[in-house]
Amino acid sequence: MATIELKNLWKEYGQEVVLERLNARVEAGEFVTIVGASGCGKTTFLKMLLGTESPSRGELLLDGKPIPAEPDETRGIVFQRYSVLPHLTAERNVMLAGELAANRFLGHAFGEQRRVLKEAARAMLEDVGLGHALDKYPHELSGGMQQRLALAQALIKKPRILLLDEPFGALDPGIRKDMHALVLKLWKEQQLTVFMITHDLDEGFYLGTRLWVFDKDRLDLQAPGAYGARITYDLPVGKDDRGTLDDIASRVDTTARALG
Amino acid sequence: MATIELKNLWKEYGQEVVLERLNARVEAGEFVTIVGASGCGKTTFLKMLLGTESPSRGELLLDGKPIPAEPDETRGIVFQRYSVLPHLTAERNVMLAGELAANRFLGHAFGEQRRVLKEAARAMLEDVGLGHALDKYPHELSGGMQQRLALAQALIKKPRILLLDEPFGALDPGIRKDMHALVLKLWKEQQLTVFMITHDLDEGFYLGTRLWVFDKDRLDLQAPGAYGARITYDLPVGKDDRGTLDDIASRVDTTARALG
Amino acid sequence: KDSFNVCWSIYVGWMPWGYGDNAGIVDKWADKYDIEINVVQINDYIESINQYTAGQYDGCVMTNMDALTIPAAGGVDSTALIVGDFSDGNDGVVLKGQSDLSAIEGQRVNLVELSVSHYMLARGLESVGMSERDITVVNTSDADLVSAFASDDITAVATWNPLLSEILKAPDSNLVFDSSQIPGEIIDLMVVNTETLEANPKLGKALTGAWYEIMAKMQGDTDDAKAVRTALAEASGTDLAGYESQLDSTRMFYAAKDAVAFVNSPELKNTMQRVAEFSFEHGLLGEGAPDADFIGVEMPAGNYGSASNTQLRFTPEYMQMAADGAL
Amino acid sequence: MKKLINRQPGTVGRWAYGLLPFVLIAIVYTMASGARLADNPNDKLLPAAATMVDSMTRMAFEPSRRTGDLLLWADTLASLERLGIGVGLAALTGLIVGIANGTIPLVRAGLSPVITGISLVPPMAILPILFIAFGLEQLAKIMLIFIGITPFLIRDLQQRTMEIPEEQIIKMQTLGANTWQIILRLVLPQIMPRLISAVRLSLGSAWLFLIAAEAIAATEGLGYRIFLVRRYLSMDVILPYVLWITLLAFLIDFALNRYSRWRYPWFHDRNQ
Amino acid sequence: MKKLINRQPGTVGRWAYGLLPFVLIAIVYTMASGARLADNPNDKLLPAAATMVDSMTRMAFEPSRRTGDLLLWADTLASLERLGIGVGLAALTGLIVGIANGTIPLVRAGLSPVITGISLVPPMAILPILFIAFGLEQLAKIMLIFIGITPFLIRDLQQRTMEIPEEQIIKMQTLGANTWQIILRLVLPQIMPRLISAVRLSLGSAWLFLIAAEAIAATEGLGYRIFLVRRYLSMDVILPYVLWITLLAFLIDFALNRYSRWRYPWFHDRNQ
Ligand SMILES: Nc1ncnc2c1ncn2[C@@H]1O[C@H](COP(=O)(O)OP(=O)(O)OP(=O)(O)O)[C@@H](O)[C@H]1O
Ligand SMILES: Nc1ncnc2c1ncn2[C@@H]1O[C@H](COP(=O)(O)OP(=O)(O)OP(=O)(O)O)[C@@H](O)[C@H]1O
Ligand SMILES: [Mg+2]
Ligand SMILES: [Mg+2]
């Protein structure tokens, strides 16, 4: 199980400060939802957790050690789009992680090993409600089904940390609710540590055990890049009333208008 | 001002029935919001209003005559994306309609005529809050600014009917609210007839004078294309309670799951 | 070394090499001397000489002028092993609509620049008191000359057979000068690398033996000889009549002794001098060449040019063996 | 009356419009040929259709007296073999280098500039060097095709590889893939249909290089035959050969397209 | 240690890696040339660098003995003129026909099949017909380039035109545009930067056709010179000429790219 620590974390692109002075500690098994105006650095933060971006200053620690500087199997991810491999059927997408581990050179599994992987993949796909679409290619699936598939693909590898970047942004409201239920179920079953970015404050409140709001508390309208966003709210979810929610919403909107 | 009548309107693509038995009458100046599951035919209906698709059966009448079978200046449109011309600055985008009318051959205006168009475009852009971005190209504008520009561009032509296909789907919640205010203001000022598709039931309720729900009331799970969607609710907005809203939401969700 | 490559390209006087290869005559003679000879057909004449000059082939067919300007000027010491024929009307100047060579003045003349056609044209102009300055030379690829002549843009060409006879079929064309007026100046040779030849006289013997066997087979009016000539005709893309008309304007040395006599004659020396001077004027001997006799040519009747830089040798040695029946 | 831009031809109209230009070309040819032949019955430049049919029948069905081959088929076979090997090698190289360049930044830094440089060298201008380097046999012809189209294939496939969404490469890594596995299980399969498109695009040039190579050194092949009879202006052979080459080019293109659609449905259906 | 796929070279590394292959080529050439020259000091195949510099100095700065021209510049000018006119005409035709085909369904139905057919015909194989139609002078060379690249340009621009989002065409109509205005105010400006890319793509072929045309019949030009001196294997002229052509090709490509970025920022910045 993973503990993640942010110690005075900064991220800058050239002159532009994206994130500044982030300090926090996340215990194993927490479900952190992240909201904030568009362009305020949520995805950038997730990329640092993933290892594709590195901090400009400060430290990002996993179990006390700097987090590996490239993606690996400890951290699973589901993006808003492009999250499954278009050239593989649903079943093969989910078998992939096992196949890669089975043979370091060919990345394919054979015989008995293959049968086992197949079985596990089928069970997983049943779990996310895609039992009837095993042989379909992603382009034959609707947006919601593709995101379920992405979840199944990520979770079968049993990552310690699951990163979700607006995974449901493109879905119908109803289908979204089903996905919430699915994510909560899987989170509980697999005891994951989850970071999930969302545009929808309600979603953030409903899903997480902890809600982070990224926002620029200093904002120079002439030079929006002069100051970075910080974690302006860090709320244990469930303990707050509608008032806080509305307050957060209006602050985030102000920033969004200024940036947009 | 325009009256629109739907008389037993059907739309089929080959074997697939998309819309069936639509009957309604919309008076000039109404603001119709349309909601429904993804893929149930909302955009198809808008395309028939626009003239890029023609009805398979039944009639779609504008002031008692069949609606023109190709787009023209009576009907303005704003899509979710690609709604402004990427190769023109904001100001030129808004001047375009005037320039096209000024010279049928060159599609350019000169001298005094041009000055007048320029002035009108600037006023319009001020109106939608883009007074500071006259010389920017669309790719330099944020999504919300692009959609304001698209509105300005469509409205300066003073269409009788304004068609909006999820114009705010890609925007931040806060910016969305500003756009709502803008649309309502322009609708009132110009006495438009508006049809607006949205994914967001709340938005539908808040904006329109009349809410249409497109849904398949007969649904064959083996062959989702066997029956088309109909207008299952046609509500004068404001007169309904939260119960109806939740009821609609759950029905639409059921259809969405079945289709998706 | 007992395996050799020689190349040839499509031309009336060289077609026999292809026949000798197909009919197994070359192999037969190679076997006799216990060596191996690969005969390769190359469509592009210049490319074949370039390949020879670059050392890819041990022997190659070419004209006397090209032998001087390409391999010899390139420092590849070459020996004219077999003198197969000289052009006796196979190269000519054609004008459209005019029948006198002096009418060429001021025209654009299409030809393969710096080739024997160019040389022949220069000789022709000389004969009517003009020089190259009185015309414009347009370099034109030989493969395209025939079809190009159909275009109105072309009024004058200088070329060789079979292109020449095709061009003369056009209704408006007149032959105003041809190589029969400068007999013996355009000579078709089988050239081999001198060094290779000296180290491997067997190569010279086998090639010469094969050549004169083919010559014997294709000459005369017997059905067999006709069959051979028909094969040669087809390989060059025409029919028997077409090929024979080309042969008519070619002075073939069917008998080895005629060739020996030709090589031994003092005329050859004059010819090579003229060719060398023409080549020098056109920069063909290389930019480093101080004057026309910079490259030495060795001939039985006497040498021409720099003795210290002898790069081209005419020798009757092997043909003499053939004449004597000593192969 | 709809605007021109909105008017669609019906099925019959589509065929009629589509065939019209071909019919026009045939008529213009027949008239021009007739006029020239009336002038000079021996004219070879624009032979009558019947003459061409005769010549082709001879080339296709009567064994050559010299070699005993059916020339058309022997030529076709020889040319297709060269084209096949040349394009095949180029495709393989393009695939390997393109993927390596596209995936691995260190390789790209080393190879990309030199390949850009090479791609700008016109192969026709270095023919002599090619022939010296590769001789004049089969190898030289194949190499001319190879050198002619490989730089294009490499650059195109590098581009396509770099267009694979970053997200998928990250996803592979989170599933535990190493660099080699990413190439084998993600990049290679996704690039295959793009390789086919790239090959289809480059086939036109490949034919050009083949014909050029055969004109310089060959004893059979479609380009050789055209080159050979060109000296005699035998348009009755050249024109049908050109049509035949065009037909072959069309069939190859068609077959590749069909194969790609059948083999990679996920690629084509998605791009519909 | 990061995975290979995630390792990026630094700025210095990038330059070093990029230059390495060029340096290697130069070294290999020098060694091969040295070896051949040691064998035969008159060898012409792989001349020493000094010889090439000499020859080029002569070509560039000493008037030719025969014509009095500075050959390199005369050749360059002649070739660039042909290339410019040929590519220019092809671009204009490609633009007009490509846009007409891409925008108007009725035109597309008529022209698209015949253009596909023509694009498959190898131009080199029908040279005789081109000679009859266009003669053998300047026009013929320009036409060979034109015929060689126009079908590609038309097909590419037709494709690009058809990729303009339907939404924008509808939007124009709702703003009152007729077909002509849609072409003039929407399609044409949006296709211009794509025309430049298409021209950049086709320049390689254009050079090929130019060189081929100059090899057929010419009195000056870069291709003419290369084929002329090929007669006596003057690689000391051919190699620098090839480098010079490569450099010209690079400069033209670079200039077009720069122009396009400067003139059409909305196109390039969007596609970043
Ligand atoms: N590679 C990069 N180079 C320079 N600037 C970058 C880079 N990546 C992101 N940025 C900048 O960093 C800021 C934050 O971007 P980020 O994608 O993290 O925002 P976000 O909060 O995820 O927004 P959204 O809600 O729209 O996804 C933006 O201003 C963006 O322009
Ligand atoms: N040109 C077409 N040919 C065949 N089927 C079509 C075509 N256009 C739309 N359809 C089908 O018609 C149905 C309705 O599509 P439409 O785009 O109108 O849905 P929608 O309600 O706008 O969905 P969304 O909310 O996702 O935009 C879909 O099932 C679609 O597959
Ligand atoms: Mg983001
Ligand atoms: Mg829609």
Side-chain angles (χ1 to χ4, degrees):
Chain A
M1 295 291 101
T3 323
I4 285 163
E5 281 169 289
L6 288 58
K7 290 192 174 161
N8 192 31
L9 196 64
W10 288 65
K11 181 68 194 178
E12 295 155 18
Y13 288 113
Q15 289 295 316
E16 189 187 349
V17 183
V18 177
L19 296 170
E20 62 178 55
R21 290 175 290 139
L22 303 191
N23 284 293
R25 180 184 169 88
V26 177
E27 299 300 332
E30 284 197 81
F31 192 134
V32 181
T33 54
I34 301 172
V35 299
S38 186
C40 77
K42 305 181 295 295
T43 298
T44 304
F45 174 67
L46 220 64
K47 281 183 180 165
M48 288 195 283
L49 281 175
L50 192 59
T52 58
E53 291 287 355
S54 48
S56 308
R57 291 185 243 170
E59 286 178 300
L60 181 58
L61 304 177
L62 172 63
D63 297 333
K65 286 190 286 285
I67 205 155
E70 59 178 351
D72 62 23
E73 53 246 81
T74 51
R75 291 151 289 170
I77 183 140
V78 176
F79 298 102
Q80 181 167 8
R81 302 195 312 143
Y82 303 123
S83 241
V84 288
L85 306 183
H87 64 289
L88 297 177
T89 59
E91 188 184 65
R92 300 299 304 273
N93 256 299
V94 180
M95 285 168 66
L96 185 59
E99 289 190 289
L100 293 172
N103 185 323
R104 294 309 286 167
F105 186 68
L106 290 178
H108 272 281
F110 304 94
E112 176 62 14
Q113 215 173 11
R114 184 183 176 80
R115 217 189 40 72
V116 173
L117 286 177
K118 208 166 184 133
E119 216 119 284
R122 286 182 184 218
M124 191 62 170
L125 282 167
E126 281 301 342
D127 238 28
V128 300
L130 289 177
H132 59 289
L134 298 177
D135 291 327
K136 294 229 160 117
Y137 284 102
H139 75 269
E140 298 171 294
L141 303 177
S142 70
M145 288 161 87
Q146 287 191 29
Q147 292 304 74
R148 279 161 205 258
L149 179 57
L151 270 175
Q153 187 185 42
L155 290 178
I156 204 162
K157 188 73 192 168
K158 302 209 185 306
R160 297 162 62 193
I161 304 167
L162 181 64
L163 308 173
L164 307 170
D165 193 354
E166 300 187 43
F168 314 133
L171 305 185
D172 264 14
I175 294 181
R176 215 151 151 162
K177 273 181 213 134
D178 300 349
M179 296 296 291
H180 292 168
L182 178 65
V183 166
L184 287 177
K185 171 173 157 260
L186 294 168
W187 166 61
K188 275 175 204 145
E189 278 176 15
Q190 302 206 7
Q191 300 184 293
L192 298 160
T193 311
V194 179
F195 289 84
M196 167 167 157
I197 298 177
T198 171
H199 250 89
D200 184 339
L201 205 50
D202 288 321
E203 189 173 83
F205 261 81
Y206 172 70
L207 277 183
T209 57
R210 188 169 172 185
L211 173 75
W212 285 359
V213 180
F214 278 36
D215 203 0
K216 305 204 175 202
D217 49 8
R218 296 182 292 175
L219 190 59
D220 181 344
L221 282 181
Q222 304 313 310
Y227 301 104
R230 309 195 53 214
I231 302 179
T232 52
Y233 286 83
D234 182 350
L235 308 169
V237 172
K239 296 181 195 144
D240 282 272
D241 55 355
R242 191 76 205 170
T244 321
L245 199 152
D246 288 342
D247 185 33
I248 293 173
S250 92
R251 276 166 193 252
V252 168
D253 286 351
T254 313
T255 310
R257 278 179 206 119
L259 292 178
Chain B
M1 296 294 99
T3 324
I4 285 164
E5 281 170 286
L6 288 58
K7 290 192 172 162
N8 191 32
L9 197 63
W10 289 64
K11 180 68 195 178
E12 295 154 19
Y13 288 112
Q15 289 295 314
E16 189 186 351
V17 184
V18 176
L19 297 169
E20 63 178 53
R21 289 176 292 139
L22 304 191
N23 283 293
R25 182 186 168 89
V26 176
E27 299 300 330
E30 286 197 78
F31 192 133
V32 183
T33 54
I34 301 172
V35 298
S38 184
C40 76
K42 305 182 295 294
T43 298
T44 304
F45 174 67
L46 220 64
K47 282 183 179 165
M48 288 196 283
L49 282 174
L50 192 60
T52 59
E53 292 287 354
S54 47
S56 307
R57 291 185 242 168
E59 286 178 301
L60 181 57
L61 304 177
L62 172 63
D63 296 334
K65 287 189 286 284
I67 206 155
E70 58 178 351
D72 61 23
E73 52 246 83
T74 52
R75 291 151 289 170
I77 183 140
V78 176
F79 298 102
Q80 181 167 7
R81 303 196 309 144
Y82 303 125
S83 241
V84 288
L85 306 184
H87 62 289
L88 297 178
T89 58
E91 187 183 69
R92 300 297 305 272
N93 257 298
V94 179
M95 285 168 67
L96 185 59
E99 290 190 290
L100 293 172
N103 186 322
R104 294 308 287 167
F105 185 68
L106 289 178
H108 273 281
F110 305 94
E112 175 61 15
Q113 216 173 10
R114 184 183 176 80
R115 215 190 39 72
V116 172
L117 286 176
K118 209 167 184 132
E119 215 118 285
R122 286 181 183 219
M124 191 63 173
L125 282 167
E126 281 302 343
D127 237 28
V128 300
L130 288 178
H132 59 289
L134 297 177
D135 291 328
K136 294 230 159 116
Y137 282 103
H139 74 268
E140 298 171 292
L141 303 177
S142 70
M145 289 160 87
Q146 286 190 29
Q147 292 304 73
R148 279 162 206 257
L149 178 57
L151 271 176
Q153 186 184 43
L155 290 177
I156 204 163
K157 188 73 192 169
K158 302 210 186 304
R160 296 163 62 195
I161 304 166
L162 181 63
L163 306 174
L164 307 170
D165 193 352
E166 301 186 42
F168 314 133
L171 306 184
D172 264 13
I175 295 181
R176 216 149 151 164
K177 274 182 214 132
D178 300 349
M179 296 297 288
H180 291 169
L182 177 65
V183 165
L184 286 176
K185 168 171 159 260
L186 295 168
W187 166 61
K188 275 175 204 144
E189 277 176 16
Q190 301 207 4
Q191 301 184 294
L192 298 161
T193 312
V194 179
F195 289 84
M196 167 168 158
I197 298 177
T198 171
H199 250 88
D200 183 338
L201 205 49
D202 287 321
E203 189 172 85
F205 261 81
Y206 172 71
L207 277 183
T209 58
R210 188 168 171 184
L211 174 75
W212 285 0
V213 180
F214 277 37
D215 203 359
K216 305 206 175 200
D217 50 6
R218 295 182 293 174
L219 192 59
D220 180 344
L221 282 181
Q222 303 315 309
Y227 302 103
R230 309 195 53 212
I231 303 179
T232 53
Y233 287 83
D234 182 351
L235 309 169
V237 172
K239 296 182 193 143
D240 282 272
D241 55 354
R242 190 79 204 168
T244 320
L245 200 153
D246 287 343
D247 187 32
I248 293 173
S250 93
R251 275 166 194 253
V252 168
D253 286 351
T254 314
T255 310
R257 279 179 207 121
L259 292 179
Chain C
K1 180 169 173 174
D2 53 10
S3 171
F4 302 92
N5 296 312
V6 299
C7 57
W8 66 281
S9 47
I10 296 178
Y11 175 68
V12 51
W14 295 325
M15 294 314 295
W17 286 112
Y19 175 79
D21 183 33
N22 283 337
I25 300 174
V26 175
D27 286 345
K28 191 183 93 190
W29 282 86
D31 287 346
K32 180 172 176 190
Y33 288 100
D34 203 22
I35 55 175
E36 206 178 299
I37 299 179
N38 265 325
V39 180
V40 178
Q41 177 194 334
I42 297 178
N43 298 329
D44 190 286
Y45 169 60
I46 285 304
E47 199 52 53
S48 69
I49 305 177
N50 281 343
Q51 294 278 323
Y52 163 77
T53 307
Q56 304 286 310
Y57 290 92
D58 302 300
C60 183
V61 297
M62 61 191 80
T63 65
N64 55 332
M65 174 176 151
D66 293 316
L68 177 70
T69 58
I70 305 176
V76 176
D77 193 335
S78 299
T79 299
L81 179 69
I82 302 168
V83 175
D85 67 90
F86 66 76
S87 168
D88 191 15
N90 244 341
D91 301 71
V93 180
V94 179
L95 293 186
K96 218 183 244 176
Q98 285 146 325
S99 52
D100 185 22
L101 178 57
S102 36
I104 203 170
E105 185 164 5
Q107 298 199 25
R108 291 168 71 86
V109 185
N110 292 75
L111 47 72
V112 179
E113 223 177 292
L114 311 180
S115 70
V116 288
S117 298
H118 200 162
Y119 172 77
M120 173 201 62
L121 175 69
R123 296 279 285 131
L125 290 171
E126 226 171 72
S127 73
V128 290
M130 283 191 265
S131 78
E132 231 189 288
R133 265 178 255 295
D134 301 313
I135 56 163
T136 308
V137 166
V138 182
N139 186 38
T140 307
S141 115
D142 53 339
D144 297 304
L145 258 176
V146 180
S147 42
F149 192 74
S151 141
D152 289 339
D153 279 350
I154 291 199
T155 55
V157 300
T159 187
W160 56 79
N161 264 326
L163 318 173
L164 182 61
S165 49
E166 283 306 317
I167 286 174
L168 286 173
K169 282 183 197 159
D172 223 10
S173 58
N174 299 297
L175 183 68
V176 294
F177 184 82
D178 71 30
S179 55
S180 64
Q181 287 160 265
I182 49 166
E185 293 191 23
I186 299 175
I187 313 166
D188 300 316
L189 314 168
M190 165 54 85
V191 169
V192 291
N193 187 302
T194 304
E195 220 174 288
T196 311
L197 184 63
E198 274 168 9
N200 307 278
K202 287 175 177 178
L203 173 64
K205 291 178 185 171
L207 285 174
T208 315
W211 177 256
Y212 286 106
E213 182 176 340
I214 305 165
M215 287 297 106
K217 283 209 162 137
M218 68 177 279
Q219 187 188 15
D221 274 335
T222 62
D223 283 351
D224 283 351
K226 273 195 184 142
V228 173
R229 291 204 296 274
T230 308
L232 296 178
E234 270 194 28
S236 64
T238 181
D239 52 17
L240 182 59
Y243 187 67
E244 292 200 320
S245 86
Q246 294 175 29
L247 273 180
D248 286 345
S249 48
T250 310
R251 183 81 59 84
M252 293 296 294
F253 295 117
Y254 290 111
K257 64 175 183 359
D258 298 341
V260 172
F262 180 81
V263 170
N264 285 335
S265 73
E267 291 304 315
L268 183 63
K269 193 180 162 191
N270 292 337
T271 300
M272 288 317 292
Q273 174 167 357
R274 232 183 257 119
V275 168
E277 280 164 7
F278 173 87
S279 304
F280 173 72
E281 276 167 32
H282 290 84
L284 294 182
L285 299 182
E287 291 300 328
D291 45 39
D293 55 10
F294 166 70
I295 294 170
V297 185
E298 182 184 291
M299 286 163 286
N303 297 351
Y304 168 76
S306 154
S308 61
N309 189 31
T310 302
Q311 300 284 12
L312 181 59
R313 301 162 202 272
F314 284 86
T315 167
E317 186 184 345
Y318 292 86
M319 294 185 290
Q320 187 66 55
M321 288 185 213
D324 298 346
L327 290 174
Chain D
M1 197 64 177
K2 280 191 180 184
K3 294 190 206 70
L4 199 50
I5 204 171
N6 292 323
R7 246 179 282 157
Q8 302 280 350
T11 319
V12 178
R14 196 176 299 278
W15 276 93
Y17 285 131
L19 284 176
L20 190 67
F22 291 99
V23 173
L24 280 181
I25 291 175
I27 292 177
V28 168
Y29 179 86
T30 312
M31 278 170 44
S33 155
R36 279 191 81 98
L37 287 171
D39 236 31
N40 169 10
N42 286 326
D43 183 72
K44 287 173 140 188
L45 193 72
L46 301 180
T51 319
M52 291 196 267
V53 171
D54 275 1
S55 303
M56 283 321 275
T57 318
R58 205 178 62 238
M59 305 292 287
F61 304 115
E62 288 172 22
S64 144
R65 266 172 293 174
R66 193 163 65 91
T67 58
D69 289 338
L70 298 175
L71 290 181
L72 177 64
W73 310 118
D75 287 340
T76 306
L77 218 70
S79 286
L80 286 185
E81 182 185 335
R82 289 169 192 144
L83 192 75
I85 300 179
V87 173
L89 284 181
L92 194 69
T93 313
L95 189 68
I96 294 173
V97 183
I99 286 182
N101 266 1
T103 344
I104 303 172
L106 293 181
V107 175
R108 178 161 66 245
L111 292 186
S112 211
V114 75
I115 289 168
T116 307
I118 291 177
S119 75
L120 291 166
V121 178
M124 298 302 207
I126 51 164
L127 274 184
I129 305 181
L130 291 187
F131 285 122
I132 309 268
F134 304 110
L136 277 167
E137 306 291 316
Q138 196 71 331
L139 182 61
K141 287 151 218 151
I142 292 171
M143 285 310 287
L144 183 61
I145 299 177
F146 178 83
I147 290 177
I149 67 173
T150 305
F152 165 78
L153 288 177
I154 292 179
R155 293 180 75 192
D156 193 62
L157 291 176
Q158 169 180 339
Q159 198 54 43
R160 301 289 154 260
T161 303
M162 291 172 70
E163 280 170 12
I164 293 179
E166 184 65 20
E167 284 90 342
Q168 295 183 11
I169 293 179
I170 293 172
K171 169 58 78 116
M172 286 296 285
Q173 299 185 51
T174 64
L175 296 180
N178 56 31
T179 301
W180 171 245
Q181 288 181 320
I182 292 174
I183 290 175
L184 202 66
R185 294 293 322 262
L186 172 71
V187 182
L188 183 65
Q190 290 209 24
I191 286 302
M192 282 309 294
R194 293 174 169 103
L195 172 68
I196 294 181
S197 331
V199 165
R200 287 176 62 200
L201 272 180
S202 68
L203 269 174
S205 314
W207 275 103
L208 275 185
F209 290 118
L210 174 73
I211 291 174
E214 288 185 340
I216 287 180
T219 51
E220 54 183 358
L222 299 166
Y224 166 73
R225 193 70 49 198
I226 289 178
F227 169 84
L228 183 69
V229 302
R230 198 152 58 150
R231 313 170 173 217
Y232 302 96
L233 204 62
S234 295
M235 298 304 289
D236 54 329
V237 173
I238 294 181
L239 288 181
Y241 258 68
V242 170
L243 283 183
W244 175 234
I245 290 176
T246 307
L247 183 69
L248 286 176
F250 174 78
L251 288 178
I252 295 174
D253 187 69
F254 183 81
L256 283 176
N257 188 16
R258 272 301 152 105
Y259 173 78
S260 185
R261 289 188 170 276
W262 166 76
R263 187 72 184 70
Y264 306 105
W266 54 267
F267 178 75
H268 295 277
D269 295 355
R270 185 180 51 169
N271 290 4
Q272 250 170 11
Chain E
M1 197 66 178
K2 279 193 182 184
K3 295 190 206 70
L4 198 52
I5 203 170
N6 292 323
R7 247 179 283 157
Q8 301 279 351
T11 319
V12 178
R14 196 177 299 279
W15 277 92
Y17 284 131
L19 284 177
L20 190 67
F22 291 100
V23 174
L24 279 181
I25 291 175
I27 291 177
V28 167
Y29 179 86
T30 313
M31 278 169 44
S33 155
R36 279 190 79 98
L37 287 171
D39 237 30
N40 169 10
N42 282 326
D43 181 69
K44 289 173 145 186
L45 190 69
L46 301 180
T51 319
M52 291 196 269
V53 171
D54 274 2
S55 303
M56 283 322 273
T57 318
R58 203 179 62 240
M59 304 293 283
F61 304 115
E62 289 172 23
S64 140
R65 267 185 286 174
R66 275 177 61 205
T67 59
D69 289 338
L70 297 176
L71 291 181
L72 178 64
W73 309 120
D75 288 341
T76 306
L77 216 71
S79 286
L80 286 185
E81 182 185 334
R82 288 169 192 144
L83 192 76
I85 300 179
V87 173
L89 283 182
L92 193 68
T93 313
L95 188 68
I96 293 173
V97 182
I99 286 182
N101 267 0
T103 346
I104 304 172
L106 293 180
V107 174
R108 178 160 67 244
L111 292 186
S112 210
V114 76
I115 288 168
T116 308
I118 291 176
S119 75
L120 292 167
V121 177
M124 302 308 242
I126 50 163
L127 282 180
I129 297 188
L130 297 188
F131 294 150
I132 307 300
F134 308 112
L136 212 64
E137 303 290 316
Q138 195 73 332
L139 181 62
K141 286 156 212 139
I142 291 169
M143 284 312 286
L144 186 61
I145 298 176
F146 178 82
I147 290 176
I149 66 172
T150 305
F152 165 80
L153 288 176
I154 292 179
R155 294 180 73 191
D156 192 63
L157 291 176
Q158 169 180 338
Q159 198 55 43
R160 300 289 154 258
T161 303
M162 290 172 69
E163 280 169 12
I164 293 179
E166 185 64 21
E167 284 89 341
Q168 295 182 11
I169 293 179
I170 293 173
K171 169 57 79 113
M172 286 295 286
Q173 298 185 51
T174 64
L175 297 180
N178 56 30
T179 301
W180 170 246
Q181 288 181 321
I182 292 174
I183 289 176
L184 201 66
R185 294 294 319 264
L186 172 71
V187 182
L188 183 64
Q190 291 209 24
I191 285 302
M192 283 309 293
R194 293 174 169 104
L195 172 68
I196 294 181
S197 330
V199 165
R200 286 176 62 200
L201 271 181
S202 68
L203 269 175
S205 311
W207 275 103
L208 278 184
F209 288 114
L210 173 72
I211 291 173
E214 291 183 337
I216 290 165
T219 52
E220 55 186 354
L222 298 166
Y224 161 79
R225 192 71 50 198
I226 287 177
F227 275 84
L228 182 66
V229 303
R230 188 172 74 110
R231 265 204 86 83
Y232 43 107
L233 205 64
S234 284
M235 299 306 287
D236 56 328
V237 174
I238 294 183
L239 289 181
Y241 258 67
V242 169
L243 283 183
W244 174 235
I245 291 177
T246 307
L247 182 70
L248 287 176
F250 173 79
L251 288 179
I252 295 174
D253 186 69
F254 182 81
L256 283 177
N257 188 16
R258 272 302 154 104
Y259 174 77
S260 185
R261 290 187 170 276
W262 167 75
R263 186 71 185 70
Y264 306 105
W266 53 267
F267 178 74
H268 295 278
D269 296 353
R270 186 179 52 167
N271 289 4
Q272 252 169 10

